[in-house]
Amino acid sequence: MEVLISRYHPDKDDEPYMQTFEVDGSQLHSDAMLLELILHLREIDPTLGVRYSCQEGVCGSDALNVNGKNLLSCTTPLKSLKEPIEIRPLPGFPIIKDLIVDLELFYQQYKSVEPFLQSEPLDPQQEHLQTPKQREQLDGKYECILCACCSASCPSFWWNPDLFAGPAALLAAQRFTIDSRDITTIDRLHKLDSPTKTFRCRHIQNCTASCPKGLNPSQAIQSLKNRIVKGH
Amino acid sequence: MSESLLEYDFDVIIIGAGGAGLRAALLLTEQGHKVAVVSKVFPTRSHTVAAQGGINAALANVTPDKWEWHMYDTIKGSDYLGDQDAIEFMCSEAAEIVRELEHFGVPFSRLNNGKIYQRAFGGQSQNYGESQAHRTCAAADRTGHAILHSLYQQNLRSGTHFFDEHYAIDLLKSGEQVCGAVVMNLHDSQLKRLNAKHTLLATGGAGQVFRTNTNAAINSGDGLGMVARAGFTLQDMEFWQFHPTGVAGKGMLISEAVRGEGGILRNSNGEAFMERYAPRVKDLASRDVVARAISIEVTEGRGCGPNKDYVLLDISHLDGDLVRQRLPGIRDISMTFLGKDPIEEPIPVFPTCHYMMGGIPTNLQAQVVTPDHNSEQAVVDGLYAIGECACVSVHGANRLGGNSLLDIVVFGRKAAQSIDAELKANTRRKISEADNLEVILARFHRWQLAQTTDDSIARIKKDLQTVMEQGCGVFRDLDSMQTALDKLLPIEERLMEVGLNDHSDVFNLDRLAALELENLLIVAFATVQSALARQESRGAHSRVDFPERDDSDWLKHTLYSHRLRRLSYKKVNLTPQHHAPFEPKKRVY
Ligand SMILES: Cc1cc2nc3c(=O)[nH]c(=O)nc-3n(C[C@H](O)[C@H](O)[C@H](O)COP(=O)(O)OP(=O)(O)OC[C@H]3O[C@@H](n4cnc5c(N)ncnc54)[C@H](O)[C@@H]3O)c2cc1C
Ligand code: SF4
Ligand code: SF4
């Protein structure tokens, strides 16, 4: 099979270029994921740079842009990909080496929304009670693995990664505004009421389409905006 | 290049940002100490994120419970090799530590009365072995993710300083004291010397030493390698948990929560075979028992599939909505990697290497201990270890499901408390000047200079994993282990000769893999040598040639010194501080 990979070694290359590999598919398992192919290529060329770790889609290390779509290489079946397979780093971020990008701005945005529970202090003999219904509100919000597939597919984030929080950060922001244990909702919504940080989202929904965990950041942002506009 | 060494001073450095490292960091930062956390991956990518089923604590939210019952189950589960004082401490802290996690924001699943949901897990009982307990607190089947992210988030709140994507190479020493570590920034290979009054290792497991495993690529036992190179011992390395239900042929985990929620193992005759091996608790027997049962079913020809090499985990009789709500992650794994919806079709499973019961020996304060001429437990000044890389020992010869997440946060907090107390009591403690920097740099430079050869790091690693799987798997005997040991020696030679293909300084994964493989090899030697010597079967160490447990000769911990390539032994603690001791008994489920 034909595989094209974006290569860039800062010590030798002026800019990224595509390198073509011819791979003997019979060397791989019939139900191989894309990561298996990439690791096979790394055996042929150990200088190929790529992040990966858990190999089961929970650590969020191996987000890539493949045939134009952002995805996790360890949960994408090879068979689902049309040939030639074109593998690029996540768009919108500075490239460090080959498929490895610098996610610093992505992490900064996440940190900027105060993504931590702020609850009523309670002595350690007690639990904050939460009904199954209240807890259900968090489903689809807390499972984010910070892979950046969403933010790297969002045009608003590409243009203003320093100003617009981006879908992953806003999903986290939303999660804490609806956690029944959090006591800072009003303050949170107030801080999110910003034309750049939150309202730069144009509801293009690329983010939701690209989330490998099936989460819906677009809807979360919509609901955040509604609450801000309605004055909470 | 990495020639110029950047230098930093800290009160405490923590190597590892999994659940253990992050719990410790939170307390130390909150107490105002100068703390740095070093992690070779961004913190939320640590392997704690993969834990599924839950964390044990006798909250008694579902069934009546007491921490003393949990203590009994853990000691029995450990096949009496666990230290009873450490187990007592862990179980008595459990309820508070879990509530504290809830306060940190962990989105635990909830019961109708609003309290934390608890499920049944293997080896858990009420009233010292009577009926099944529901003790495992769960956030659906993503408990590790929920805990790791919440702890990272609280560290953002407290302002902990992180060195992300930095790889710790070795411990700095001044005489026999530890005074920091040399780390490398993966982005540019810049070496940094982190001098510290206290160094805390939280580097996680080493499951990559076996071919089929549930561990991440980063689980290469680096903390153990560092400790061994520093001249200290490793404990109980013959005890590796093979999780009974890995996805057959692939290894990723299908949590015990599946059986906790009612899943049943079946062989090719459709028989629920666990009834024969553990008549009382059946599929919820301890992990070593279930892993052996599956292996036996397959060896005796009752495996499923074209090669009869796995058994089936069946949940098709459970309510679909319950599965979607309680086991969404498992359903996802099954659908992604097998194309099967477990609500309709059973999951093919086989034992897979999962957890390292052994590790860096510590005392109850999480201080690293090593034998010297005066004592079998001399404290290493300045060095602490917690989490899966440590062996305190609460898991003994076999860990109960749900007890590792507990271990990492209980001893994460405990280590931080001991360091905090030490820093406050001893305000004049200075950072010592290291005297082993040259040696550390020499090892690193060898890899910088290693020219390309025909052999490669990837090939040596694969061979190592195969040797270990064949020699030290679920069942072992003298022959299999001796063969493994004989094959490790040439592998060690190859690692000394092999060159690298990548000579750049930016994300040089080839060099990183070489450094990790050096650690894995130490773990492999420690495992085989400790296992060869132990002439009995206990917990996860099942010898065909010595099928019985032998308390008169082997109720003791193994210590392995890699520097001397020698074993020594130390007593098991059988004297808890509050509860009456539990005398070793035959273990039946
Ligand atoms: C699939 C799976 C499911 C599990 N489910 C459960 C469960 O339901 N319940 C339960 O109790 N237990 C479970 N366990 C076990 C439990 O999750 C682990 O034992 C535990 O999370 C280990 O935590 P830790 O903090 O010690 O290490 P880890 O989370 O592995 O973290 C290790 C850290 O060390 C860092 N590190 C390592 N080496 C270096 C180095 N050289 N330089 C810099 N940093 C380094 C890594 O970057 C990482 O941050 C499960 C394990 C697996 C694999
Ligand atoms: S919906 Fe908003 S956040 Fe998502 S891709 Fe569109 S603009 Fe970006
Ligand atoms: S929302 Fe989805 S795509 Fe975005 S970072 Fe989280 S897991 Fe990844």
Side-chain angles (χ1 to χ4, degrees):
Chain A
M1 69 183 81
E2 195 178 323
V3 186
L4 281 87
I5 296 200
S6 168
R7 302 300 303 264
Y8 172 69
H9 285 196
D11 41 351
K12 329 197 269 262
D13 304 323
D14 293 332
E15 53 184 46
Y17 63 96
M18 297 302 283
Q19 182 182 7
T20 308
F21 289 88
E22 242 343 293
V23 179
D24 173 6
S26 70
Q27 300 267 322
L28 306 169
H29 289 99
S30 58
D31 56 354
M33 296 291 168
L34 174 62
L35 180 62
E36 186 179 328
L37 168 72
I38 293 176
L39 294 182
H40 177 70
L41 291 174
R42 268 193 46 75
E43 282 182 28
I44 299 168
D45 178 1
T47 70
L48 175 63
V50 59
R51 287 189 183 100
Y52 66 96
S53 182
C54 78
Q55 310 170 57
E56 55 182 29
V58 286
C59 78
S61 301
D62 60 346
L64 298 170
N65 181 274
V66 182
N67 293 347
K69 196 174 170 316
N70 296 346
L71 45 75
L72 297 180
S73 77
C74 65
T75 54
T76 303
L78 255 190
K79 275 197 221 132
S80 70
L81 299 171
K82 270 233 259 335
E83 286 186 47
I85 303 173
E86 294 194 15
I87 308 177
R88 293 188 169 77
L90 279 186
F93 295 106
I95 302 175
I96 296 175
K97 176 182 188 173
D98 297 335
L99 303 174
I100 302 176
V101 293
D102 185 347
L103 289 169
E104 193 48 40
L105 276 174
F106 174 75
Y107 295 138
Q108 285 305 335
Q109 289 298 357
Y110 175 69
K111 293 169 191 172
S112 79
V113 302
E114 303 184 356
F116 37 77
L117 186 75
Q118 303 181 67
S119 58
E120 202 72 68
L122 198 62
D123 81 76
Q125 300 314 312
Q126 287 177 24
E127 303 171 19
H128 295 103
L129 297 182
Q130 194 170 43
T131 65
K133 244 206 162 77
Q134 290 171 322
R135 168 58 184 76
E136 215 171 86
Q137 299 285 308
L138 305 180
D139 283 339
K141 315 282 185 312
Y142 79 92
E143 303 91 328
C144 171
I145 57 173
L146 296 178
C147 66
C149 281
C150 56
S151 297
S153 69
C154 166
S156 300
F157 191 75
W158 291 339
W159 305 138
N160 299 102
D162 50 339
L163 299 174
F164 175 48
L170 291 172
L171 179 71
Q174 159 76 350
R175 174 238 196 269
F176 287 103
T177 62
I178 55 173
D179 192 317
S180 60
R181 298 170 293 176
D182 198 279
I183 51 172
T184 58
T185 312
I186 294 175
D187 186 44
R188 286 178 186 277
L189 289 173
H190 186 69
K191 286 182 184 156
L192 289 164
D193 186 0
S194 141
T196 48
K197 196 176 187 70
T198 307
F199 285 84
R200 227 1 105 73
C201 165
R202 304 280 182 243
H203 292 287
I204 313 162
Q205 305 222 0
N206 285 5
C207 54
T208 297
S210 72
C211 177
K213 302 310 281 181
L215 311 181
N216 193 344
S218 172
Q219 192 190 51
I221 300 169
Q222 183 72 26
S223 127
L224 261 186
K225 287 200 213 169
N226 285 342
R227 289 163 74 203
I228 293 171
V229 172
K230 283 201 207 116
H232 321 310
Chain B
M1 271 287 264
S2 35
E3 287 314 312
S4 61
L5 212 60
L6 296 178
E7 217 172 316
Y8 305 77
D9 289 350
F10 291 99
D11 291 328
V12 192
I13 60 165
I14 300 173
I15 303 175
L22 290 181
R23 180 64 195 87
L26 183 58
L27 189 148
L28 287 164
T29 310
E30 279 173 346
Q31 291 303 312
H33 303 297
K34 201 176 166 203
V35 185
V37 178
V38 182
S39 174
K40 60 179 170 177
V41 293
F42 181 76
T44 62
R45 320 215 186 281
S46 305
H47 205 48
T48 293
V49 79
Q52 301 170 350
I55 173 167
N56 296 333
L59 297 179
N61 288 355
V62 176
T63 48
D65 211 350
K66 289 188 177 166
W67 68 258
E68 291 87 347
W69 302 346
H70 181 193
M71 175 182 174
Y72 166 78
D73 291 335
T74 304
I75 292 170
K76 176 180 174 191
S78 82
D79 221 348
Y80 297 91
L81 192 73
D83 287 319
Q84 299 200 3
D85 56 346
I87 293 173
E88 175 183 55
F89 175 72
M90 178 177 82
C91 297
S92 64
E93 294 261 292
E96 183 180 307
I97 209 107
V98 167
R99 291 191 198 104
E100 192 188 70
L101 288 174
E102 188 274 315
H103 299 181
F104 292 158
V106 174
F108 283 110
S109 303
R110 298 289 175 154
L111 297 160
N112 285 334
N113 65 7
K115 290 192 162 185
I116 295 173
Y117 168 71
Q118 298 188 281
R119 60 163 54 105
F121 244 47
Q124 307 278 0
S125 74
Q126 299 183 56
N127 207 14
Y128 308 105
E130 276 177 11
S131 44
Q132 179 69 43
H134 287 240
R135 184 177 292 144
T136 306
C137 311
D141 56 0
R142 304 191 177 96
T143 315
H145 172 285
I147 292 177
L148 185 70
H149 280 255
S150 300
L151 284 173
Y152 179 63
Q153 291 163 346
Q154 290 299 328
N155 273 286
L156 291 179
R157 180 185 193 176
S158 68
T160 301
H161 182 78
F162 285 94
F163 286 98
D164 293 337
E165 302 199 308
H166 279 59
Y167 179 82
I169 297 175
D170 261 316
L171 297 171
L172 287 164
K173 278 176 78 185
S174 165
E176 286 308 291
Q177 188 191 61
V178 171
C179 52
V182 174
V183 307
M184 168 180 64
N185 185 348
L186 295 175
H187 290 228
D188 56 8
S189 293
Q190 171 71 54
L191 293 184
K192 298 180 182 173
R193 174 179 174 170
L194 308 185
N195 306 312
K197 293 179 188 164
H198 300 276
T199 302
L200 174 57
L201 292 170
T203 53
Q208 285 298 327
V209 77
F210 290 92
R211 194 174 57 106
T212 313
N213 64 66
T214 63
N215 281 203
I218 56 171
N219 292 147
S220 52
D222 298 340
L224 281 74
M226 288 187 258
V227 159
R229 275 188 299 276
F232 310 123
T233 51
L234 302 177
Q235 181 173 322
D236 292 342
M237 291 300 293
E238 61 271 49
F239 298 103
W240 287 88
Q241 178 161 83
F242 292 87
H243 196 291
T245 57
V247 172
K250 300 181 193 251
M252 55 283 280
L253 182 74
I254 300 296
S255 170
E256 193 164 301
V258 174
R259 281 170 290 134
E261 299 288 350
I264 296 172
L265 289 162
R266 297 185 190 280
N267 60 20
S268 56
N269 305 327
E271 181 201 4
F273 59 85
M274 279 313 297
E275 290 179 4
R276 273 188 279 120
Y277 297 87
R280 234 156 27 89
V281 298
K282 307 184 182 81
D283 294 89
L284 284 177
S286 230
R287 287 183 180 171
D288 54 337
V289 176
V290 183
R292 278 194 290 274
I294 296 176
S295 288
I296 293 171
E297 288 303 300
V298 166
T299 349
E300 294 185 351
R302 292 184 295 276
C304 308
N307 303 321
K308 294 180 149 299
D309 55 357
Y310 57 78
V311 298
L312 293 172
L313 178 55
D314 184 9
I315 53 168
S316 55
H317 53 286
L318 299 185
D319 173 41
D321 285 338
L322 178 115
V323 174
R324 276 181 212 102
Q325 196 198 352
R326 300 262 167 83
L327 305 168
I330 292 300
R331 183 162 174 255
D332 216 30
I333 287 182
S334 181
M335 300 213 293
T336 306
F337 292 99
L338 296 161
K340 293 181 198 290
D341 183 346
I343 294 174
E344 274 137 32
E345 273 182 279
I347 311 173
V349 293
F350 195 71
T352 167
C353 174
H354 183 56
Y355 183 84
M356 173 175 77
M357 266 78 70
I360 305 160
T362 70
N363 62 20
L364 283 187
Q365 276 65 50
Q367 293 171 297
V368 173
V369 292
T370 202
D372 69 4
H373 26 272
N374 299 320
S375 138
E376 55 180 16
Q377 297 239 59
V379 169
V380 177
D381 191 16
L383 186 63
Y384 302 73
I386 48 172
E388 190 167 339
C389 75
C391 181
V392 47
S393 132
V394 283
H395 310 301
N398 171 65
R399 169 175 78 90
L400 292 188
N403 264 358
S404 174
L405 288 176
L406 179 62
D407 168 16
I408 67 178
V409 282
V410 165
F411 288 97
R413 184 171 78 169
K414 185 65 198 172
Q417 286 165 344
S418 351
I419 294 171
D420 173 52
E422 175 60 31
L423 283 167
K424 285 174 179 157
N426 202 348
T427 48
R428 279 193 305 212
R429 183 178 171 111
K430 290 217 171 52
I431 300 177
S432 306
E433 187 63 32
D435 54 25
N436 66 336
L437 187 63
E438 293 301 309
V439 188
I440 296 174
L441 295 183
R443 182 171 83 91
F444 180 71
H445 286 148
R446 178 169 85 83
W447 290 117
Q448 269 184 318
L449 300 173
Q451 292 305 316
T452 310
T453 49
D454 285 344
D455 204 0
S456 74
I457 294 291
R459 225 167 297 146
I460 301 177
K461 179 173 170 189
K462 269 193 188 161
D463 289 348
L464 173 77
Q465 292 176 319
T466 310
V467 165
M468 291 303 289
E469 185 147 292
Q470 289 168 352
C472 274
V474 174
F475 286 105
R476 322 153 161 194
D477 63 17
L478 176 66
D479 274 355
S480 75
M481 292 187 288
Q482 189 58 51
T483 310
L485 185 57
D486 294 342
K487 288 186 178 166
L488 283 183
L489 295 168
I491 287 182
E492 184 174 36
E493 275 164 32
R494 281 167 67 194
L495 188 56
M496 309 233 274
E497 314 263 297
V498 69
L500 301 183
N501 291 277
D502 195 341
H503 303 286
S504 85
D505 278 335
V506 180
F507 259 99
N508 187 328
L509 299 179
D510 208 18
R511 196 188 289 154
L512 178 64
L515 292 164
E516 290 175 339
L517 187 54
E518 286 189 289
N519 295 326
L520 277 178
L521 185 66
I522 291 175
V523 169
F525 271 111
T527 301
V528 180
Q529 302 231 23
S530 306
L532 253 176
R534 185 175 284 273
Q535 297 187 331
E536 65 158 352
S537 289
R538 182 185 297 272
H541 177 65
S542 319
R543 286 190 63 155
V544 182
D545 44 355
F546 294 96
E548 297 300 320
R549 193 176 86 196
D550 173 3
D551 287 335
S552 58
D553 283 335
W554 290 103
L555 186 58
K556 57 187 179 189
H557 296 295
T558 310
L559 296 175
Y560 169 74
S561 159
H562 190 66
R563 187 174 278 178
L564 306 172
R565 308 254 167 155
R566 210 166 59 205
L567 300 170
S568 56
Y569 293 90
K570 113 178 165 191
K571 282 199 220 56
V572 174
N573 178 292
L574 298 171
T575 49
Q577 280 167 3
H578 307 287
H579 200 283
F582 291 95
E583 293 300 323
K585 280 198 291 212
K586 195 166 163 58
R587 205 167 142 244
V588 275
Y589 284 101

